[in-house]
Amino acid sequence: MIDLHCHILLRVPPDDGPASVEGVLDMARVALGDGISTIVATPHLSFEDLAHPESIPARVEQVQEVVATAGLAVQILPGAEIPAVWEALEHAQALPFLGEQRRYVLLEVPLAGLPDYLPQLVFSLQVKGLQPVLAHPERTQLAHRNPNLLLELAERGCPLQLNADSVAGRWGRPARTTALRFLREVEHCVLATDAHDARQRPPLLSVARRAFRGLGGEKRFQQVTEEYPRKILSGENL
């Protein structure tokens, strides 16, 4: 399986990943045990990072070396979780992509508030040749008060990245209900862990597998954890 959203890089503000190398290894072991073979490292992006675009790949290379040295067969790829603010548009050509393709970016839908500007921001990024993947929309206030806006964005080509533990019910009934609705009504969803550590927010995708019994079964689960994430990492159309 492929995890498109994971905070596995050593903690550097504003990110909140593991604080030690052992924490990184613990996360890699949990992911590997769950059947995850590829992790996209998606630290929270500070726009100041864009002055040093080599910083994220260098940090990813460091973590990949640590994981490989420990004998863990997990591939770590570069990425970032980009805040959905207008500043992202100002830096559009320098934004980190998911993996090594040059098309898809992970755009963090704000958890609080009703960002009425989101459709225009998404459209403006698309005009510049970027395709946002909307991160954990099921956890947002927007999804609970105006889910149709997110459904419209999905119809305009934005894949929805849902958290596996939302589908499993960890974030409460509203998040689970919304995630299941999106999985029923939106073809191009992808499942990711949004993991931050090995214990409280671990990199597990299989926790959501049971919910797919009524959502197309194993075929649909494979789509959202392997087929569609692989296409995103290849820069293909979904």
Side-chain angles (χ1 to χ4, degrees), residues 3 28 35 40-41 70-71 81 84 89 99 155 177 189 196 211 217:
D3 186 5
V40 182
E81 187 174 9
L89 185 62
E155 289 179 359
T177 298
C189 292
H196 287 65

Side-chain angles (χ1 to χ4, degrees), residues 10 21 29 39 47 49 57 60 72 106 120 131 141 146 172 177 194-195 204 208 211 228 231:
L10 283 167
V21 168
R29 292 185 188 104
I39 294 174
F47 291 108
D49 293 338
V60 169
L72 301 174
L106 185 67
Q120 184 59 45
Q131 179 53 67
Q141 185 179 9
N146 188 8
T177 298
D194 191 9
L204 297 171
Y228 293 159
K231 286 186 175 182

